[in-house]
Amino acid sequence: MKILVVEDEPKVATFIKQGLEENNLEVDLVYDGSMGLKFATNNDYDLILLDVVIPYINGVELCKQIKSNKPTTPILMLTALGTMEDKITGFDAGADDYLVKPFEFKELIARIKALTRRSNYVTGASNKLRLADLELDLDKKCANRGGKDIDLTAKEYLLLEYLMRNRGRVVSRVDIAEKVWEITFDTGTNVIDVYVNILRRKIDKDSDKKLIQTRVGHGYMISD
């Protein structure tokens, strides 16, 4: 696995690079946004680790530019800016995950594994997610199962995409609220449960193989 690290603090950058290499990952390291854009454009990476406060091109703008050219490349933001507003800004720019400094290195490795595992289910230039006979077209924003089109609202589509990007992993209601409801969800309501049940009826109703599963007390998971 090849990773690009964009980090302007030399000690932090060296620490991250050494730790990743000790986990058998190949690492390119650059110290500013301009070089980050050059490397990201001219090379293919399995994942990009990106600081927010970096010279020349800040991390948020760099994330936007990378995603406009390579939308399926996972980007994990590493930053000391950890407010809710900072996270929303990062996700709005296209970041796939957000890890606040200081962090445990084992958590960084776990996040990297989760993101690259999800990206492996995006198939080639067609930009589709597939699970069993369920297919989600990320370009056309539509879904079908067994060749039959599924009529989804915009929010149902986002929920299904989030579940499929996390296939085989239990995601909590808090996870779903942050990623699908843009961190504005009122935890006192059951809107997530309602949407999951609607999605389950649309996805699983006419199939013997049920893909959307409930893990009582933990959340939901999609798996074959």
Side-chain angles (χ1 to χ4, degrees), residues 72-91:
T72 62
T73 299
I75 294 180
L76 171 57
M77 283 190 167
L78 298 175
T79 179
L81 304 174
T83 69
M84 193 67 71
E85 290 74 17
D86 292 323
K87 292 180 181 179
I88 292 173
T89 299
F91 288 129

Side-chain angles (χ1 to χ4, degrees), residues 139-212:
D139 294 323
K140 297 180 179 178
K141 306 297 182 186
C142 62
N144 75 78
R145 185 165 187 190
K148 182 180 179 181
D149 290 341
I150 301 169
D151 184 24
L152 297 175
T153 66
K155 192 62 71 176
E156 290 164 2
Y157 170 85
L158 290 174
L159 176 57
L160 179 58
E161 179 184 353
Y162 181 65
L163 290 172
M164 290 186 72
R165 286 189 182 277
N166 289 274
R167 58 179 288 172
R169 172 175 172 256
V170 176
V171 291
S172 70
R173 290 170 179 80
V174 172
D175 293 331
I176 295 172
E178 291 181 351
K179 300 300 192 298
V180 180
W181 268 261
E182 300 179 351
I183 324 181
T184 59
F185 173 63
D186 178 5
T187 56
T189 77
N190 66 341
V191 66
I192 288 178
D193 306 273
V194 171
Y195 266 87
V196 170
N197 287 332
I198 292 172
L199 194 60
R200 180 182 279 125
R201 287 198 297 269
K202 292 186 176 184
I203 298 299
D204 288 337
K205 180 180 178 182
D206 298 324
S207 178
D208 293 332
K209 179 180 284 190
K210 308 304 180 185
L211 300 179
I212 300 177

